[in-house]
Each structure stands twice: as C-alpha cells, then as structure tokens.
Amino acid sequence: MRVRVLGCSGAISQGCRTTSFLLDDDVLIDAGTGVGDLSLDEMARVDHVLLTHSHLDHVASLPLMLDAVAARRLAAGAAPLVVHALPGTISALKVHIFNNLIWPDFSTIPSAETPLMRFVPITVGELLRVGGKHIEVLPAVHTVPAVGYAVDSPSGHWVFSGDTERNPAFWQRVNRIDVAMLIIETAFSDRERELAQRSLHLAPSSLADELDQIDRSRRFPIYITHTKPAETGLIMEEIRRFDDMPSRGGDVRHDIRWLSAGQTFEL
C-alpha cells in the first residue's frame, strides 16, 4: 500500500496544507487543503473518503473536489463518491456545508437516485472493507465526534490518531495490533498547553504521557502531524527535549520523526 501525504499541518501558510492522506489512488483519509495538490485525473480516481471529524481543516476540499470532478464522473458513469464518517460528522456536513447555501448538496445531484456523493455512517470499532483495504475505526477524544483509523497493509497497520487529546482506549487497541507506522497529532506547544487541553489537542507534555502507554515491547516509527505553522519549530524542539529523556516506564526512547507534505510511504 502506498500512502501519500497531501497535507499534515494544523493550519495554512505557504508550504503548509491541512490534513489529507491518499492511500494508493482511490482512498482519501480526510480531505483538507492538501487535496488541492492532486491533478484532476488523480481527484477523479478517488472513490472513497474516510473522515475523522467535521472540522474545516479536515473537510475543506471535499466540496471543492466534488465540484472539480463532477462532470468527469458523470460522463464516465462512475458510482457516487462514498464518504464514510460518524453520524455526527455526516449531520454537520449536511447542515453546514452541503446545504444548497454554502455549497450544493451533491448527495442529491443530479438526482437523489443517482447522486455524485453518498454518505455511509461508521461506528468506533467497526471493521471496514474499503477499496480492497481492511480499515478499523479507532476511538478519538475531541470537541466534536471524532475517530482515528488503522489501515492494514503487508507491512503492518498504518495508524492515524486523528485529532485527539488523552485517549486510553486508543492505546489499548494500538497495543494489540501490528503497527508499521503511527501518525499522531501535536497541535500546540507547551506554552499553549491550556489551549490544547480546552480544544482537546495534544501538546508535547501530553504527547509524552500518551506515548508512555505504548507497550515497552513495541517499537515503530512515530510521525508528528497537525502542528500549527507558527508553533512548529517550538513544538519540534519541545518534543526533541522530552524524547532525549527515558520514559517513565524505563529507558525506552521512541522513534519520533516529522511528517511533511509530499512524503510517500510504501507499506
């Protein structure tokens, strides 16, 4: 399985695009502004979008992508683009975006019987079969209904935390599966840790506590995502500082790396 990082920033700036990952050619995990780097041909090949939650930085490109490829998909007689999401996420999209005020309701265009887009509700713990891939819906703890995902591959699971704060249930599941790589958010620096707590995001100090929940026998690369552009340098420095010290469970150091748009991984 090929994973292409389209965007992994917590906000926009030159060179910074918000969250989206392309799995092979046909599955998107989240649809942030990074989707805009795909060509029209690449967008037209996407048949499934799995959303972690409804916040704008994770869904901003979904309505624009649908508009960009609508004519191609209709001309080709393609099946509707399937958007997999929690019921609360689907409700938010219907009320606030695909409402014929902010954007056309593509779930009824050109007709309710043959729409360009179809919503499919998911639940935490569900095992999905999407585009030939086995995907598990993982728990997340955020200000709106939210999930993460674990995608099985020949090398192990590609695991994405989504936007989350402290999340014991997530680590209980992660410790039971074969992890090839973990992508986890750290949106704020420790100088903004109170804001991180209120907005249910991680900061380096809370990330350190979370990583201490990984079973000591497990080791896999951990990629940091969703940093705010104005704080990225400080966040990286604070993470390096805590990762130079042994964890509370003993002399265990993590393999922490930095995610960037444009990276591609083969798993």
Side-chain angles (χ1 to χ4, degrees), residues 39-54:
S39 69
L40 284 174
D41 287 342
E42 289 171 325
M43 289 185 197
R45 286 194 287 269
V46 174
D47 290 324
H48 297 271
V49 179
L50 287 83
L51 298 176
T52 58
H53 64 293
S54 60

Side-chain angles (χ1 to χ4, degrees), residues 96-140:
H96 299 293
I97 296 180
F98 297 105
N99 57 10
N100 293 317
L101 293 172
I102 301 300
W103 210 251
D105 180 5
F106 283 115
S107 67
T108 61
I109 295 174
S111 71
E113 294 71 31
T114 58
L116 281 161
M117 174 184 65
R118 180 166 63 91
F119 290 113
V120 173
I122 61 174
T123 58
V124 172
E126 187 175 358
L127 297 175
L128 310 174
R129 176 83 172 175
V130 175
K133 298 170 179 59
H134 292 91
I135 303 176
E136 181 174 348
V137 184
L138 300 177

Side-chain angles (χ1 to χ4, degrees), residues 65-249:
M65 180 181 75
L66 277 161
D67 193 35
V69 300
R72 290 189 181 208
R73 293 185 72 89
L74 287 172
L81 177 76
V82 182
V83 178
H84 308 259
L86 290 171
T89 302
I90 293 171
S91 176
L93 291 173
K94 288 181 175 180
V95 170
H96 299 293
I97 296 180
F98 297 105
N99 57 10
N100 293 317
L101 293 172
I102 301 300
W103 210 251
D105 180 5
F106 283 115
S107 67
T108 61
I109 295 174
S111 71
E113 294 71 31
T114 58
L116 281 161
M117 174 184 65
R118 180 166 63 91
F119 290 113
V120 173
I122 61 174
T123 58
V124 172
E126 187 175 358
L127 297 175
L128 310 174
R129 176 83 172 175
V130 175
K133 298 170 179 59
H134 292 91
I135 303 176
E136 181 174 348
V137 184
L138 300 177
V141 178
H142 201 35
T143 55
V144 294
V147 297
Y149 293 106
V151 185
D152 200 4
S153 79
S155 301
H157 287 81
W158 178 85
V159 179
F160 176 41
S161 70
D163 284 12
T164 190
E165 219 255 348
R166 299 170 194 269
N167 190 359
F170 175 82
W171 298 110
Q172 290 171 11
R173 185 59 190 139
V174 166
N175 282 330
R176 293 189 179 101
I177 61 177
D178 178 24
V179 179
M181 64 182 292
L182 167 67
I183 296 176
I184 188 166
E185 70 120 288
T186 311
F188 295 96
S189 69
D190 275 338
R191 71 180 177 188
E192 298 283 1
R193 58 181 170 269
E194 291 185 5
L195 176 58
Q197 290 173 351
R198 288 200 304 272
S199 59
L200 294 182
H201 280 290
L202 294 174
S205 56
S206 50
L207 173 68
D209 292 339
E210 290 298 277
L211 296 187
D212 276 349
Q213 297 187 57
I214 298 173
D215 190 290
R216 291 185 61 186
S217 66
R218 316 291 297 278
R219 186 169 174 82
F220 40 78
I222 299 167
Y223 287 84
I224 305 301
T225 189
H226 208 280
T227 60
K228 300 294 184 183
E231 294 236 300
T232 296
L234 180 56
I235 293 169
M236 293 171 68
E237 174 59 30
E238 290 175 343
I239 290 176
R240 286 192 187 100
R241 195 178 306 140
F242 86 66
D243 200 47
D244 284 339
M245 299 186 301
S247 73
R248 293 171 189 171

